Amino acid sequence: MNKAVDDGKLFTETVRITSIKFLSSKYVIFVGVPIDRDSFKVNNGKYYVSVKTELAVLPIDSSSQKPLEPTIGQNWIVKGIRSIQEIAEGDYVMQQHVYDSPRAIFCTLPESGAALINFIAKGSDFKGIGEVKARELWRALGKSFHSTLRTDSEESRKRLEGLLSSDSIDALYKGYAKYKNLSHYGWMSEHGIPAKVQERLFKYHQENSIDAIKANPYLLISFGMAFNKVDALAQSKFGITKDDHRRLSSALEISIHNEVGKGNTYANREHITPHLKKLLNEKELVSQAFLVGYNKAQYVLNKEQGNFHPTAQFLMETVVFKRLLKLVKQKDLYDESAEAAYQYATKELPYDLTKKQVQAVLASLDNAVSCITGGAGTGKTTVLRTTLRAYFNLGFMIHAVALSGRAAQRLHESIGFETMTIARLLRNEPISPSSEQSLHVLVIDEASMVDLPTMYRLVTKLHPSVRIILTGDPDQLPPIGCGKVLADIVESKLIVNTTLDIVKRQEGATGIPEYSKQINKGLIPAYLSIGNIYFHETAASDIANVCSKLYQQSASNSRILAATKKMVADINRLTQTQHNPDGSVLQFEMNGELFYQNLRLNDAILFTQNNYDKGIQNGSLGTLSSVKPTNTHYGVVTLDTGSEIKITQDVLDCMELGYCITLHKAQGSQFPRIIVALQNSRIVDRSWLYTAITRAEHEIHIVGSRADFEATTILQSTVHSRRSYLFDLLKSSKND
């Protein structure tokens, strides 16, 4: 066999698939024959085509909204750099044109009668329509075939009556729907628009996608395409000039939302201008961009302060503020029945509440919206459980949510009432009184993690009469998204907030709450190792190794936390190698071939995507408890909750090693024993270290250098540097 690679030239070929060699959730390899008129047929011994590509770059099936899996009989257009393999078979020399990760690839419907008849008759997407019926269809419809099937209407269906049964008509339209947008995908692939961007675009614009791009190519940025790539496309293919209002508007939008990406909900001109200059490349266009943005209502200008508020964030903050203010005005709700309920709730407590805890319970019963805040070990759980028992005695329906599944489970164990994730609540029917007598209270736990968009969705999901209790620690790591809702509420002092700041010492105290309190104040503890806190002076190059060895000392109780994805990956690989070197490897069979995943029996597992049908969420943790494949699954993961998850292909795609996880994955959860990989990183500050330490229930190990520990403790939390208009709104109302 001889192999030659063409000299970097791009080739385009149309291929009819004759076999699928490999198909997984990520890749496909198929073989086919060229169908271009000037191509040779494979049975003449000339050549055939082999294509390997990622499923992620393929066009989207209109009916399932998933990548269109190549199947036998389909026609695909492939564009890319090819290599040629020559294979001698007897007296013939067979050529194979190989495309590995082609630059463009898309499926296309045949246009000619013979090809279209063959495609429908042999295609699995057109059940019940054989070659005879397919020929009759082409004979009856001819050139109007595509226009008849493109729109599924009563009028178009009438043209098919008498030719096909009602079931076959349904099958025809259903099958055609899968392919009807393929010409759009082909056009977009030719224009260099990535498949993922195409997928998002089609979900929104459907058949109008190409028209929408032609009207404004810069809309592609909203669907995930980089500005510089769109800008080059817009100027080269659509003749858009540098001062076009669409270009200026798009650049301004990106520059403003660059600030939103940092967690801010507004910015001033000095914050926005440098990024805008970088995009537009010409200083004189910057002022024009601000004017265009103002005329298009891309932002709301606060002339007094000179701040630019992205319109969406401005509206969200305004709505959240008004809903909270409406609840704030419902005061003096504590009456005789509330007193009786309070007495009922405290009667069964094994100990007396502290003065601050009593204040927190009464404040929550006396106000329609309230906060209970404090650090680890200050008694927030006791206050919340007591408050909710009183509300339940008053006849209120209790709703309790947290951002992550683990946090929701922990909340349930603490309060004894049903809990759920915020995502699940938002998918459910709105919380609304079914009668004038029905009463509701919603607890938002770990509220420091809740960003502005999430809070907006929550308050708009609730009936105005639903009471709200927010609990959490505003000094913990700020939300991933923009805003700092809990911190704004606490700092503004508009909403009643009880801060529990006395650590309740108990027998066998760990010292962790006191230690974390010092960190939170920016104070370096006199002793870095004390009580159940152990500091391990370690060079940066050895952090992963030390963390791995510490993990093995008590693996069943431990979790390692790190700041960066690289550190997480390094520690996971090393810990698996050292702790579980001989575990049986997870393997699975596809299309008669055996494949292996670098996951082993008894490995710690982290799930990185939501799959509510399977009972897993982004951040769920467990152990790979079986690698024995069956006809339905490849193995089993046992979650920390005890639930068993069968590993199918869609589950496998979101599984990673979970010995070490990022702090964001751990926030809202606690573990018996925590190992902190402390590194000098842009995202590591005081709130990061404070949050990491408070994830430990009984024991904590900090691995790093004393210099980095001290610098991190001194470094002010980024949550306090975020710019948030919600705070201004709450504060101004407090002062009125």
Side-chain angles (χ1 to χ4, degrees):
M1 179 177 72
N2 298 318
K3 182 177 180 181
V5 179
D6 290 337
D7 299 329
K9 296 179 182 178
L10 286 175
F11 291 88
T12 301
E13 296 192 67
T14 303
V15 180
R16 179 170 61 81
I17 297 177
T18 55
S19 67
I20 305 296
K21 294 297 184 182
F22 172 75
L23 177 62
S24 72
S25 61
K26 294 184 178 179
Y27 291 96
V28 63
I29 301 174
F30 65 79
V31 172
V33 295
I35 61 173
D36 296 332
R37 290 181 179 178
D38 57 349
S39 297
F40 297 104
K41 294 181 179 179
V42 70
N43 58 11
N44 283 343
K46 296 301 182 180
Y47 78 87
Y48 60 97
V49 180
S50 177
V51 179
K52 177 185 177 183
T53 185
E54 294 182 52
L55 283 183
V57 305
L58 300 183
I60 302 304
D61 180 342
S62 303
S63 56
S64 68
Q65 292 301 313
K66 294 181 179 179
L68 180 66
E69 292 185 0
T71 57
I72 294 173
Q74 290 176 340
N75 292 349
W76 284 77
I77 296 177
V78 184
K79 180 178 181 180
I81 297 174
R82 71 187 181 192
S83 63
I84 298 177
Q85 297 178 350
E86 292 187 348
I87 306 170
E89 293 189 6
D91 296 332
Y92 295 98
V93 176
M94 181 77 73
Q95 272 196 357
Q96 178 180 215
H97 292 184
V98 180
Y99 292 85
D100 192 343
S101 301
R103 297 190 183 183
I105 178 169
F106 51 92
C107 187
T108 180
L109 275 171
E111 293 293 333
S112 67
L116 194 58
I117 290 167
N118 185 63
F119 180 75
I120 292 175
K122 295 183 178 180
S124 59
D125 295 305
F126 303 94
K127 294 180 180 179
I129 306 175
E131 185 173 346
V132 173
K133 289 294 183 184
R135 287 187 182 281
E136 290 180 7
L137 274 174
W138 179 254
R139 197 178 299 118
L141 300 178
K143 292 182 179 180
S144 65
F145 181 92
H146 293 288
S147 60
T148 301
L149 296 183
R150 184 165 291 278
T151 303
D152 187 355
S153 65
E154 186 177 346
E155 181 181 349
S156 62
R157 280 178 173 258
K158 281 184 178 179
R159 297 194 63 186
L160 304 177
E161 292 177 359
L163 293 173
L164 299 175
S165 67
S166 59
D167 288 344
S168 293
I169 292 174
D170 288 340
L172 181 62
Y173 275 104
K174 185 177 179 181
Y176 191 88
K178 184 173 181 175
Y179 298 95
K180 66 180 181 180
N181 288 325
L182 293 178
S183 59
H184 294 65
Y185 283 112
W187 182 90
M188 286 191 281
S189 296
E190 288 291 334
H191 283 74
I193 300 170
K196 282 292 183 185
V197 176
Q198 297 178 29
E199 176 184 352
R200 301 182 192 114
L201 184 69
F202 265 106
K203 283 183 180 179
Y204 189 81
H205 287 285
Q206 295 296 322
E207 294 182 18
N208 298 318
S209 294
I210 291 179
D211 291 338
I213 294 172
K214 290 179 177 178
N216 182 9
Y218 292 94
L219 69 82
L220 290 166
I221 294 168
S222 302
F223 297 96
M225 198 165 169
F227 178 86
N228 62 335
K229 293 185 180 297
V230 176
D231 200 31
L233 176 68
Q235 293 186 50
S236 64
K237 299 291 185 180
F238 300 102
I240 288 181
T241 59
K242 290 187 175 182
D243 61 352
D244 188 288
H245 68 92
R246 293 167 292 184
R247 180 173 187 260
L248 301 180
S249 171
S250 175
L252 179 65
E253 183 85 7
I254 292 172
S255 300
I256 290 177
H257 280 86
N258 180 56
E259 292 298 312
V260 174
K262 297 175 183 177
N264 304 311
T265 64
Y266 68 86
N268 60 37
R269 196 178 184 108
E270 287 68 35
H271 296 127
I272 299 170
T273 297
H275 195 263
L276 191 54
K277 282 182 180 177
K278 186 177 179 180
L279 294 178
L280 296 177
N281 295 320
E282 294 182 26
K283 187 164 53 176
E284 55 270 21
L285 293 176
V286 171
S287 295
Q288 293 183 45
F290 278 110
L291 181 59
V292 168
Y294 183 79
N295 292 334
K296 289 190 171 188
Q298 287 179 267
Y299 60 84
V300 176
L301 178 61
N302 184 325
K303 293 183 180 180
E304 183 180 338
Q305 298 177 347
N307 293 329
F308 294 81
H309 299 259
T311 304
Q313 279 66 31
F314 179 83
L315 291 174
M316 285 189 282
E317 287 180 303
T318 303
V319 169
V320 170
F321 163 68
K322 288 182 176 179
R323 293 298 296 271
L324 292 176
L325 185 62
K326 190 168 185 177
L327 290 171
V328 166
K329 290 179 178 179
Q330 299 177 43
K331 297 190 180 224
D332 302 323
L333 303 175
Y334 194 84
D335 54 18
E336 291 182 3
S337 59
E339 169 66 19
Y342 167 72
Q343 294 297 335
Y344 165 81
T346 56
K347 187 179 297 183
E348 297 182 8
L349 288 175
Y351 46 80
D352 293 334
L353 297 176
T354 66
K355 184 177 178 180
K356 218 44 176 311
Q357 288 177 320
V358 171
Q359 180 184 333
V361 175
L362 296 181
S364 297
L365 293 170
D366 194 34
N367 294 271
V369 58
S370 60
C371 291
I372 304 166
T373 59
T378 55
K380 294 193 302 294
T381 297
T382 300
V383 168
L384 183 58
R385 185 168 57 243
T386 305
T387 302
L388 294 181
R389 282 178 62 83
Y391 265 117
F392 185 74
N393 187 257
L394 284 168
F396 277 75
M397 291 187 65
I398 309 299
H399 308 271
V401 297
L403 200 59
S404 71
R406 286 183 61 83
Q409 178 64 28
R410 181 166 160 252
L411 178 61
H412 168 69
E413 294 166 357
S414 300
I415 64 176
F417 292 95
E418 182 182 352
T419 62
M420 66 181 71
T421 62
I422 290 175
R424 181 179 164 192
L425 175 72
L426 293 173
R427 292 198 311 273
N428 292 348
E429 291 296 316
I431 298 176
S432 182
S434 56
S435 67
E436 292 184 6
Q437 285 75 38
S438 72
L439 304 167
H440 299 261
V441 60
L442 172 69
V443 174
I444 305 173
D445 194 35
E446 297 287 354
S448 64
M449 300 169 65
V450 176
D451 59 19
L452 172 64
T454 302
M455 191 65 184
Y456 167 78
R457 293 179 67 196
L458 278 170
V459 299
T460 54
K461 189 81 172 181
L462 306 177
H463 188 274
S465 66
V466 178
R467 298 190 189 185
I468 298 176
I469 301 173
L470 298 105
T471 70
D473 186 349
D475 293 319
Q476 284 192 13
L477 209 61
I480 296 176
C482 67
K484 49 185 178 76
V485 175
L486 182 64
D488 286 343
I489 289 173
V490 171
E491 290 175 32
S492 71
K493 296 182 170 55
L494 172 66
I495 294 169
V496 61
N497 168 53
T498 308
T499 301
L500 306 174
D501 55 3
I502 299 176
V503 175
K504 295 177 67 62
R505 286 188 173 273
Q506 298 176 356
E507 187 177 348
T510 63
I512 293 172
E514 298 89 344
Y515 195 90
S516 64
K517 191 173 180 180
Q518 286 185 285
I519 298 295
N520 193 32
K521 290 180 178 179
L523 302 175
I524 299 168
Y527 301 96
L528 298 193
S529 294
I530 187 170
N532 284 15
I533 301 112
Y534 304 91
F535 185 84
H536 305 265
E537 179 71 34
T538 307
S541 60
D542 204 32
I543 288 176
N545 185 47
V546 172
C547 286
S548 176
K549 291 186 181 304
L550 285 168
Y551 178 90
Q552 295 171 68
Q553 292 175 6
S554 183
S556 61
N557 294 317
S558 300
R559 194 71 58 177
I560 308 170
L561 303 181
T564 64
K565 290 181 179 179
K566 183 181 184 307
M567 178 65 83
V568 168
D570 289 346
I571 293 175
N572 272 323
R573 282 195 299 268
L574 189 60
T575 305
Q576 184 196 49
T577 301
Q578 294 181 350
H579 175 66
N580 190 24
D582 302 319
S584 300
V585 176
L586 180 66
Q587 61 185 34
F588 52 97
E589 186 176 309
M590 279 189 176
N591 300 308
E593 295 187 56
L594 200 60
F595 296 90
Y596 296 88
Q597 190 84 353
N598 189 29
L599 300 172
R600 301 172 186 169
L601 184 65
N602 298 321
D603 269 342
I605 298 296
L606 168 72
F607 290 97
T608 59
Q609 296 175 22
N610 294 325
N611 191 326
Y612 299 111
D613 294 337
K614 300 288 186 180
I616 56 176
Q617 295 172 326
N618 188 351
S620 293
L621 292 164
T623 302
L624 185 54
S625 53
S626 172
V627 293
K628 185 177 180 180
T630 70
N631 292 332
T632 59
H633 58 272
Y634 308 138
V636 175
V637 173
T638 302
L639 296 181
D640 288 0
T641 60
S643 300
E644 290 191 345
I645 305 299
K646 293 178 179 178
I647 305 172
T648 55
Q649 190 61 54
D650 54 343
V651 171
L652 184 63
D653 290 342
C654 65
M655 286 171 54
E656 295 180 358
L657 290 174
Y659 297 104
C660 179
I661 60 177
T662 63
L663 182 56
H664 276 113
K665 296 289 187 189
Q667 198 170 359
S669 303
Q670 282 193 305
F671 305 87
R673 183 173 180 263
I674 284 292
I675 302 161
V676 178
L678 180 65
Q679 58 187 129
N680 185 5
S681 168
R682 175 181 57 83
I683 63 175
V684 175
D685 62 7
R686 184 190 306 167
S687 68
W688 190 94
L689 180 57
Y690 170 70
T691 306
I693 290 172
T694 56
R695 297 310 91 206
E697 292 175 346
H698 304 300
E699 183 179 319
I700 186 161
H701 295 260
I702 304 170
V703 181
S705 71
R706 184 184 183 96
D708 284 345
F709 182 93
E710 292 180 353
T712 300
T713 302
I714 294 169
L715 187 61
Q716 180 69 31
S717 168
T718 56
V719 68
H720 300 293
S721 63
R722 288 191 176 194
R723 297 183 294 276
S724 171
Y725 186 51
L726 178 61
F727 171 76
D728 297 335
L729 291 169
L730 294 167
K731 188 70 174 176
S732 63
S733 182
K734 169 72 176 175
N735 296 332
D736 287 346

